[in-house]
Amino acid sequence: MQPAIATHGGASAIPDEVKEARSQGVQRAARAGYCVLREGGTALDAVEAAIRVMEDDPVFDAGQLLPPRVGADLNYDGEVELDAIIMEGKELRSGAVTCVQNIKNPISLARKVMERTDHLLLAGKGANQFAKEMGIDEVDPSELVTEMARKEWEEYREFNKNVKVSYTNRADFGHEHETVGSVAIDKWGNVACGTSTGGITGKLAGRVGDTPVIGSGAYCDNAYGAVWTTGHGEAIMKVNLSKTVLSYMEHQGLSAQEAADKAVGFMHRRVGGAGGAIVLSSSGDLARSFSSQRMAWAFAKDNSVRYGVDPGDDHDGGKIA
Amino acid sequence: MQPAIATHGGASAIPDEVKEARSQGVQRAARAGYCVLREGGTALDAVEAAIRVMEDDPVFDAGQLLPPRVGADLNYDGEVELDAIIMEGKELRSGAVTCVQNIKNPISLARKVMERTDHLLLAGKGANQFAKEMGIDEVDPSELVTEMARKEWEEYREFNKNVKVSYTNRADFGHEHETVGSVAIDKWGNVACGTSTGGITGKLAGRVGDTPVIGSGAYCDNAYGAVWTTGHGEAIMKVNLSKTVLSYMEHQGLSAQEAADKAVGFMHRRVGGAGGAIVLSSSGDLARSFSSQRMAWAFAKDNSVRYGVDPGDDHDGGKIA
């Protein structure tokens, strides 16, 4: 099997001034993951490596060129709570964390959950306690919070200060989705997927979005392929978007592209949510479908990279040395 | 539409000495939920009422006849962490909580998440903070812990004290699964499902099992029906068991029973897990499938109750006055 890896940097209305930087960021991550695959690494290794590159990359923090930490949006209480998942398609093993604080690379903690516990998902205090036992250093919370994120949070609080009690129908803040993700297939034909996020500005403390929820934010099975999703997390969860994509491939014999388009369309019709899915089929074909304005993506295969941001983009990113 | 409701008390090797009490417990819950439906309540109202009856019923705490609190298994650190989900099939709205502490009726907190927030799932400290803001009283932790649960935890810790670092391959403790759940359909043809659990003895702090994960522990859609599952949570999550049942009905035109059997069989083959699913189809038919030894269930429809515990059971539980 020809190894391949795709990366993305979140579906949202990416501002023009950071479009180029984000596009470069997903390409760097795809190149890093591809090198892992080319050197004989597994799809899991490649996905983890690619996501770490993006977690460490400041361009995914709302475009602020700050010290090399991915920033995260602040929850209603002004705290950072991070989510991540990683999964492989041979035995359907996976690991995930949610509402974890002060961890620089949640994707690697998710992998530890997969490999070192009997569980699939650890939340909050327990997830941080597990990180400590695994020897993963906590970072100072300030390292994960940028001025841009704090400013957005302050505006959000000001705008919503009268609606706290009901919570629902709060202003749609047009917030940046900080989600990054990757899907890969290795030379043995094993697929893997992963995704990592800081969530959305003003989410309630303890909010678990689609990202760490298996079948919603990500899913893979060697029989069909690997999927990750990004967009309005609650809508994605309502329809189990990742699993829905694969079920169209399984039961209706659709291609990855047809299945992704159909699933994203179904979500929009059934629950009104915007978002996108990227699918890497078990034959190594990439499909992208998104109803948001932009999504930065890159795809590395056969020693070269392709990439795009706007709908319809499919640019040549050159060779991988 | 003829309203109907089913309840269950967890799939496991239920000891003979508590078999009768558990059977009575699920029947009481089904009767309570049915009365809500008969009086014009919604499927959501009925599911919540039925689960509250079981959450408050001591027979679901490993058979100890103690004060009226459902006890919960203790996690590795000796704490109680509760999970619950509730969902309706018209607009696919749902609410869930995980790792919540000191709450007597997690199912009602889950419903508050559905109705009073923009989110679907709240975890840990954030979920408890939300409960407080909703005016839900916390109970003393000791009210949720029985002697039986503490004793099982102590034995578990003793047995596993040398394997803490790796976590995996810990002794299978044959622990009781405290999961309770319900599916219902109301006179308008709307389906709903819900489930509530204390998890498994010795789970790591922060462990999120299948119960609060939409598509795994529960799912429903008016077009097909309502599903909940019980058994080995991590296996159920790996295959998104609830969603898989409905996808067989959607894509292959299988009956609820055929779909449940096929999905439980697939889970067992693909990832080796034991468990069960109960499905109430959108035409009001009940299907049960479980690979565990016993599962207490009851079904109320047409002013009468049917029930069972052992495979093949289908007893007449009499009229509902």
Side-chain angles (χ1 to χ4, degrees):
Chain A
M1 173 62 67
Q2 180 87 273
I5 184 166
T7 53
H8 83 121
S12 65
I14 300 170
D16 284 336
E17 59 270 28
V18 298
K19 181 184 158 185
E20 179 59 24
R22 290 222 180 169
S23 176
Q24 294 291 337
V26 290
Q27 289 178 67
R28 275 195 300 274
R31 286 167 186 266
Y34 188 76
C35 289
V36 170
L37 291 170
R38 201 171 52 182
E39 300 303 321
T42 65
L44 264 179
D45 292 335
V47 160
E48 184 183 357
I51 291 177
R52 285 182 68 106
V53 166
M54 292 184 285
E55 285 177 335
D56 292 346
D57 189 332
V59 306
F60 294 103
D61 176 42
Q64 292 298 287
L65 290 169
L66 288 160
R69 299 267 185 262
V70 68
D73 289 332
L74 298 173
N75 69 18
Y76 196 87
D77 298 337
E79 292 184 326
V80 169
E81 295 190 316
L82 304 169
D83 303 332
I85 190 170
I86 194 164
M87 181 174 187
E88 61 82 33
K90 185 180 178 189
E91 297 172 17
L92 308 186
R93 291 184 308 147
S94 70
V97 291
T98 185
C99 301
V100 70
Q101 298 189 303
N102 311 337
I103 298 289
K104 186 168 155 280
N105 294 112
I107 194 68
S108 295
L109 183 58
R111 187 162 180 184
K112 288 258 190 267
V113 171
M114 180 180 107
E115 293 180 341
R116 303 290 297 275
T117 81
D118 292 327
H119 304 318
L120 265 62
L121 175 55
L122 294 181
K125 194 179 63 170
N128 269 99
Q129 181 179 315
F130 173 70
K132 193 166 292 193
E133 291 177 16
M134 290 293 112
I136 293 174
D137 288 336
E138 292 192 354
V139 296
D140 190 276
S142 65
E143 291 191 52
L144 299 170
V145 181
T146 63
E147 263 318 294
M148 182 83 158
R150 182 158 299 281
K151 190 162 158 284
E152 186 172 285
W153 173 74
E154 281 163 3
E155 286 170 14
Y156 183 91
R157 285 287 296 226
E158 184 60 28
F159 201 87
N160 288 277
K161 66 183 176 186
N162 295 320
V163 294
K164 179 153 195 276
V165 175
S166 96
Y167 293 117
T168 56
N169 300 315
R170 292 184 298 176
D172 183 352
F173 209 65
H175 32 58
E176 288 288 300
H177 295 284
E178 310 288 344
T179 309
V180 296
S182 177
V183 282
I185 188 164
D186 60 30
K187 63 180 180 184
W188 301 278
N190 292 314
V191 296
C193 56
T195 176
S196 178
T197 189
I200 50 175
T201 297
K203 66 183 181 183
L204 290 182
R207 178 256 191 180
V208 184
D210 62 306
T211 294
V213 173
I214 185 170
S216 292
Y219 198 81
C220 65
D221 186 327
N222 276 359
Y224 311 104
V227 185
W228 47 238
T229 65
T230 177
H232 182 223
E234 277 72 11
I236 289 168
M237 293 166 82
K238 283 179 183 176
V239 300
N240 282 178
L241 185 60
S242 292
K243 183 74 172 172
T244 296
V245 171
L246 292 188
S247 76
Y248 287 146
M249 295 172 73
E250 175 182 359
H251 296 293
Q252 303 191 350
L254 301 189
S255 70
Q257 187 64 54
E258 291 166 338
D261 287 341
K262 185 169 179 172
V264 169
F266 170 74
M267 176 173 78
H268 189 70
R269 266 198 328 280
R270 188 72 172 87
V271 299
I278 285 198
V279 189
L280 187 61
S281 76
S282 55
S283 51
D285 298 319
L286 183 70
R288 302 175 301 280
S289 185
F290 51 106
S291 56
S292 55
Q293 291 170 263
R294 286 175 160 171
M295 176 164 65
W297 62 272
F299 184 45
K301 188 177 179 177
D302 203 11
N303 286 307
S304 60
V305 179
R306 303 200 69 78
Y307 70 94
V309 176
D310 287 304
D313 276 358
D314 188 359
H315 303 302
D316 183 354
K319 289 281 172 198
I320 301 172
Chain B
M1 173 63 66
Q2 179 87 273
I5 184 167
T7 53
H8 83 119
S12 64
I14 300 169
D16 284 335
E17 59 271 28
V18 298
K19 180 184 158 184
E20 179 59 23
R22 289 223 180 169
S23 175
Q24 293 292 337
V26 290
Q27 289 178 68
R28 274 194 301 274
R31 284 167 187 267
Y34 188 77
C35 290
V36 170
L37 290 170
R38 201 170 53 183
E39 300 303 321
T42 65
L44 264 178
D45 292 335
V47 161
E48 183 183 358
I51 291 177
R52 285 182 68 106
V53 166
M54 292 184 285
E55 284 177 337
D56 291 347
D57 189 333
V59 307
F60 294 103
D61 177 40
Q64 293 297 288
L65 291 169
L66 287 161
R69 299 268 185 260
V70 69
D73 290 331
L74 298 173
N75 70 16
Y76 196 88
D77 298 337
E79 292 183 328
V80 169
E81 293 190 316
L82 304 169
D83 302 332
I85 190 171
I86 194 163
M87 182 173 185
E88 61 82 30
K90 186 180 179 191
E91 296 172 17
L92 309 187
R93 290 184 308 147
S94 69
V97 291
T98 185
C99 302
V100 70
Q101 297 189 304
N102 313 336
I103 297 290
K104 185 167 156 279
N105 293 113
I107 193 69
S108 294
L109 182 58
R111 188 162 179 184
K112 288 258 190 267
V113 171
M114 180 180 107
E115 294 180 340
R116 302 291 297 275
T117 81
D118 292 324
H119 303 318
L120 266 62
L121 174 56
L122 294 181
K125 195 180 63 170
N128 269 100
Q129 181 179 318
F130 173 71
K132 191 166 295 192
E133 291 177 16
M134 290 292 113
I136 293 174
D137 289 336
E138 293 194 352
V139 297
D140 190 276
S142 64
E143 290 190 52
L144 298 170
V145 181
T146 64
E147 264 317 294
M148 184 82 157
R150 185 158 295 283
K151 190 161 159 286
E152 187 173 283
W153 174 73
E154 282 163 2
E155 287 170 14
Y156 183 90
R157 286 287 295 226
E158 184 62 27
F159 201 85
N160 287 279
K161 66 182 173 187
N162 295 320
V163 294
K164 179 154 195 276
V165 175
S166 96
Y167 294 116
T168 57
N169 300 313
R170 292 183 299 177
D172 182 354
F173 210 66
H175 32 58
E176 288 288 302
H177 295 284
E178 311 286 345
T179 309
V180 296
S182 177
V183 281
I185 188 165
D186 60 31
K187 65 181 179 182
W188 300 278
N190 292 316
V191 296
C193 55
T195 175
S196 178
T197 189
I200 51 175
T201 297
K203 66 183 180 183
L204 291 182
R207 178 256 192 181
V208 184
D210 61 308
T211 293
V213 173
I214 185 170
S216 292
Y219 198 81
C220 65
D221 186 326
N222 277 359
Y224 311 104
V227 185
W228 45 240
T229 64
T230 177
H232 182 223
E234 276 74 11
I236 289 168
M237 292 166 83
K238 283 179 184 177
V239 301
N240 283 176
L241 186 59
S242 293
K243 184 73 174 173
T244 297
V245 171
L246 292 188
S247 76
Y248 288 146
M249 294 172 72
E250 176 182 0
H251 297 293
Q252 302 191 349
L254 300 188
S255 70
Q257 187 64 53
E258 291 165 337
D261 288 342
K262 185 169 180 173
V264 170
F266 170 74
M267 176 174 76
H268 188 71
R269 267 197 329 279
R270 188 71 172 87
V271 298
I278 286 199
V279 189
L280 186 61
S281 76
S282 54
S283 51
D285 298 318
L286 183 71
R288 303 175 301 280
S289 185
F290 51 106
S291 57
S292 55
Q293 290 170 265
R294 286 175 161 169
M295 176 164 65
W297 63 271
F299 184 46
K301 188 176 179 178
D302 202 13
N303 286 307
S304 61
V305 179
R306 304 201 68 80
Y307 70 95
V309 175
D310 288 304
D313 276 358
D314 189 359
H315 303 303
D316 183 354
K319 289 281 172 198
I320 301 171

